[in-house]
Amino acid sequence: MVRLLALLLTMVALLQGTGSAEAHKVIASVFPSGPSIEGEVGFSNGVMAGNTLVEVLDPDGTKIDEITTDEDGFFVYTPSGDVDLRFRADLGAGHVAEAAFAINDLSNVAQENATSASSAKVVVVATTENAAPAITRAQEEIIASIVRDELRPLRREITAYKEKNDLQSILGGIGYIFGAVGIVYYLAARRLRAKAPEA
């Protein structure tokens, strides 16, 4: 009994000591934003890498350019060439964030490729007197900018949620396993007792 109590106290002390050490992973993501590339750099615990230098590299690892994130860990880069890019940021203490971007994902590059591939096509648009006016390119860019700004916090929350594996979740899973095993043993013991002849 004393050994069991000592073992239990030791386990509780070890678990309490691990509570202060929070593990985190580096998060780096890039996505198309009109003619530019927008990205974010930070950690899975929600702390973003503000005012961090991000190197822009070609597929061979040659440095093309460098940019700095804002206070929220976001950056915007407008590529000058049609080459796939890698973004690399050194966050210190051995944490290095890297993300790759295929240049064909940009809307202007995709439009240029589609235009050059289908230059022989003719597009006919029929209009009527009651047709609603089409939005202009400037209005489209404003709407896209607003939508991107609204999606930023959601992207951050989704990424943090995917990376979250805290101690409470792990211990909860272990507790469910022990509970299920306990129920199985209880039912097995009841069956054995029912089958055993009473003395």
Side-chain angles (χ1 to χ4, degrees):
M1 181 68 176
V2 174
R3 282 186 172 173
L4 180 63
L5 184 59
L7 179 64
L8 182 64
L9 288 174
T10 304
M11 288 178 61
V12 169
L14 288 174
L15 289 176
Q16 294 231 345
T18 60
S20 61
E22 294 184 23
H24 55 267
K25 291 167 56 176
V26 174
I27 296 173
S29 60
V30 290
F31 36 88
S33 176
S36 301
I37 301 168
E38 190 172 313
E40 65 181 339
V41 179
F43 295 100
S44 62
N45 63 1
V47 176
M48 301 309 287
N51 302 317
T52 302
L53 182 70
V54 178
E55 296 176 330
V56 182
L57 310 168
D58 67 4
D60 298 327
T62 306
K63 185 175 176 180
I64 297 172
D65 203 354
E66 59 184 35
I67 49 179
T68 304
T69 63
D70 63 7
E71 294 82 26
D72 294 328
F74 288 99
F75 64 88
V76 177
Y77 178 73
T78 305
S80 58
D82 289 343
V83 63
D84 292 343
L85 301 170
R86 284 187 333 165
F87 296 87
R88 183 180 184 279
D90 185 359
L91 305 176
H95 295 100
V96 176
E98 283 198 33
F101 185 82
I103 199 69
N104 289 333
D105 291 344
L106 283 181
S107 62
N108 64 339
V109 172
Q111 287 173 355
E112 288 173 8
N113 291 342
T115 303
S116 63
S118 63
S119 59
K121 290 185 181 178
V122 177
V123 178
V124 178
V125 178
T127 60
T128 64
E129 292 179 22
N130 296 333
I135 62 172
T136 64
R137 180 74 179 151
Q139 291 171 330
E140 185 180 320
E141 289 176 5
I142 291 171
I143 292 170
S145 174
I146 292 170
V147 170
R148 280 192 302 271
D149 290 343
E150 292 296 323
L151 287 177
R152 277 183 188 162
L154 293 175
R155 275 194 207 110
R156 184 181 297 163
E157 287 180 22
I158 289 169
T159 304
Y161 182 73
K162 288 192 305 188
E163 298 293 329
K164 186 176 184 184
N165 289 325
D166 60 353
L167 182 63
Q168 184 178 2
S169 299
I170 294 169
L171 290 178
I174 292 171
Y176 280 122
I177 292 169
F178 278 122
V181 170
I183 290 172
V184 169
Y185 275 116
Y186 172 74
L187 293 175
R190 277 189 66 182
R191 285 185 184 172
L192 286 175
R193 252 190 195 190
K195 289 182 182 179
E198 292 186 23

